[in-house]
Amino acid sequence: MSKTDGEGSSSENVVWHSGEVSRTEREAMLGQRAGTVWFTGLSGSGKSTIAVEIERRLATAGRLCYRLDGDNLRHGLNGDLGFTESDRTENIRRTGEVCRLLVDAGVIVLASFVSPFRADRESVRDMHVAAGMPFLEVYVEVPIEVAEQRDPKGLYRKARAGEIRGFTGIDQPYESPDRPELVLPTASSSVEASAESVVELLRVQGLIGPA
Ligand code: ADP
């Protein structure tokens, strides 16, 4: 991993200390190539459900992956952040850094975050590209009417009732990806079919070997 702190950052007088074991070595131990699969889409689109299914399949195949889930990280690392635009940006920036650490450790990361702003997702992509790490953006696409009907956490109902402010798709925008590596239309594809498409993408990109 390279040092990427920008000029003027509070860490400008901190010197990067390199280790003696490389990511390539760790990947060889694990028999895989590490990278981040970034799921973006409306709340209720199916990001977490599909990531859980992929994690199960990869674990069964002996591959080390780790799920980062927006809701889960907000219980801990990002517990101080809300849902304003600037807090959402910081939420994604921190998460991107965690992805980078995990990828450096050799792990295949499955990150499920609404991540409504294109620029924030692009920053995470740039961070990966700068470190020579794969970043695969997966757009979990669903019409808002379908997500609202599913409403697995009852959040759309609360947003419509005005009990939640700044809810993506209701009173905050969602900016869909321009060039995602994969689109999963979950109103018409099953969880199993979506999971299989992602596993196939991992094969094509060389993160895992043939079935
Ligand atoms: P998100 O993580 O995007 O907020 P969740 O995975 O928490 O979404 O919720 C999606 C809900 O939609 C779940 O209750 C899931 O069972 C349901 N669902 C129905 N059909 C699908 C599908 N084809 N793909 C993914 N989820 C689906």
Side-chain angles (χ1 to χ4, degrees):
M1 196 150 74
S2 60
K3 176 189 177 299
T4 55
D5 290 316
E7 208 176 285
S9 108
S10 57
S11 44
E12 65 190 324
N13 292 323
V14 181
V15 179
W16 185 269
H17 198 135
S18 297
E20 288 184 5
V21 180
S22 68
R23 168 159 48 106
T24 311
E25 264 183 273
R26 287 186 283 269
E27 289 175 325
M29 287 178 216
L30 294 165
Q32 64 188 32
R33 187 163 177 235
T36 295
V37 184
W38 186 277
F39 298 91
T40 173
L42 294 173
S43 178
S45 57
K47 302 178 296 296
S48 304
T49 304
I50 293 165
V52 165
E53 174 69 19
I54 296 164
E55 182 183 38
R56 179 73 267 154
R57 289 178 185 220
L58 292 181
T60 301
R63 301 280 70 88
L64 180 62
C65 64
Y66 193 75
R67 279 187 315 110
L68 291 177
D69 193 283
D71 290 336
N72 298 357
L73 257 64
R74 283 181 179 276
H75 283 283
L77 178 68
N78 295 338
D80 57 324
L81 301 175
F83 293 88
T84 60
E85 288 198 15
S86 61
D87 274 9
R88 283 181 185 275
T89 295
E90 177 61 9
N91 182 41
I92 298 309
R93 187 194 70 78
R94 284 186 202 169
T95 302
E97 293 288 354
V98 174
C99 289
R100 206 161 55 135
L101 289 170
L102 285 170
V103 172
D104 196 46
V107 176
I108 295 170
V109 182
L110 306 173
S112 312
F113 291 78
V114 174
S115 48
F117 304 125
R118 207 172 280 135
D120 295 346
R121 297 191 303 265
E122 284 307 307
S123 298
V124 181
R125 181 188 288 275
D126 291 347
M127 208 187 264
H128 280 70
V129 170
M133 296 172 173
F135 179 83
L136 307 171
E137 188 177 19
V138 177
Y139 177 28
V140 185
E141 187 270 323
V142 77
I144 188 153
E145 299 75 30
V146 175
E148 192 163 357
Q149 201 177 8
R150 290 178 182 164
D151 206 6
K153 297 161 221 156
L155 297 177
Y156 284 94
R157 190 186 51 72
K158 285 189 183 168
R160 290 289 184 198
E163 292 167 27
I164 302 178
R165 293 278 151 75
F167 195 75
T168 303
I170 305 291
D171 58 354
Q172 256 193 30
Y174 176 78
E175 299 171 359
S176 55
D178 285 331
R179 287 182 304 277
E181 274 72 14
L182 188 65
V183 180
L184 300 174
T186 66
S188 55
S189 301
S190 67
V191 175
E192 292 72 24
S194 295
E196 186 50 40
S197 305
V198 174
V199 171
E200 181 57 25
L201 177 68
L202 293 174
R203 283 196 198 105
V204 169
Q205 296 282 335
L207 276 74
I208 58 173

